[in-house]
Amino acid sequence: MTDRVVVAGAVFDEGRLLAARRSAPPELAGRWELPGGKLEPGETAEQALVRELREELGVEAEPGERIPGEWPLAPGYVLQVWTVRIVSGEPRPLEDHDELRWLFRHELDTVDWLDQDRPAVAEAACRLPVG
Ligand code: 523
């Protein structure tokens, strides 16, 4: 069977990457992720990403390029990541997160990323200015 896709956004702004701290479920709470969520039936990954970032962060987002790769989550799920530009709004932790941080490249190790997000964060880091 095909794996179900969870999409996440590497949201860039002014040379920084957005990190979001999960507030649920208990086993993931306190860990940091690239925000996103599961595709709903009939949605493309880009549509799901725009919807999730609207619901969770209150922003209008525009997906850019897919970050190459696909990372396994719980059995039956895989994580795909797109670069994202915010078109309007200031991200706020409305749903699923209790804190947001904008991180410069040299700060990416200062939060406890979910293990499965780490390769995607490393790929995203290559798109941030050095320093
Ligand atoms: N991950 C994950 N990394 C990551 C995301 C967005 C999600 O490891 N960057 C995992 C966490 C969950 C699963 O993918 O085990 C689904 O993500 P979730 O809960 O953010 O998806 P939603 O918001 O679609 O979930 P529902 O509350 O079920 O609608």
Side-chain angles (χ1 to χ4, degrees):
M1 230 184 74
T2 329
D3 287 326
R4 283 194 61 186
V5 173
V6 175
V7 281
V11 184
F12 295 110
D13 188 51
E14 295 181 1
R16 300 161 306 171
L17 176 70
L18 186 66
R21 190 171 68 185
R22 288 192 69 108
S23 52
E27 62 274 18
L28 302 182
R31 307 285 301 277
W32 294 75
E33 69 174 10
L34 301 171
K38 300 185 196 93
L39 257 69
E40 286 180 358
E43 272 183 332
T44 65
E46 285 96 334
Q47 287 166 343
L49 191 54
V50 168
R51 175 184 52 73
E52 289 284 350
L53 298 186
R54 186 183 294 140
E55 290 171 1
E56 295 185 356
L57 307 176
V59 297
E60 290 306 313
E62 183 178 77
E65 43 151 353
R66 165 118 177 250
I67 292 188
E70 191 168 76
W71 298 279
L73 299 172
Y77 288 90
V78 290
L79 179 67
Q80 297 181 357
V81 179
W82 267 257
T83 65
V84 171
R85 189 175 74 87
I86 294 178
V87 177
S88 68
E90 188 64 35
R92 285 163 296 145
L94 301 177
E95 236 180 46
D96 299 345
H97 303 112
D98 59 8
E99 193 179 336
L100 303 177
R101 275 189 209 165
W102 287 108
L103 302 174
F104 288 107
R105 184 164 164 158
H106 71 273
E107 297 173 320
L108 291 175
D109 285 344
T110 61
V111 301
D112 184 20
W113 294 101
L114 289 172
D115 294 341
Q116 55 271 29
D117 280 48
R118 287 173 192 266
V121 171
E123 279 295 323
C126 301
R127 289 155 173 81
L128 286 171
V130 180

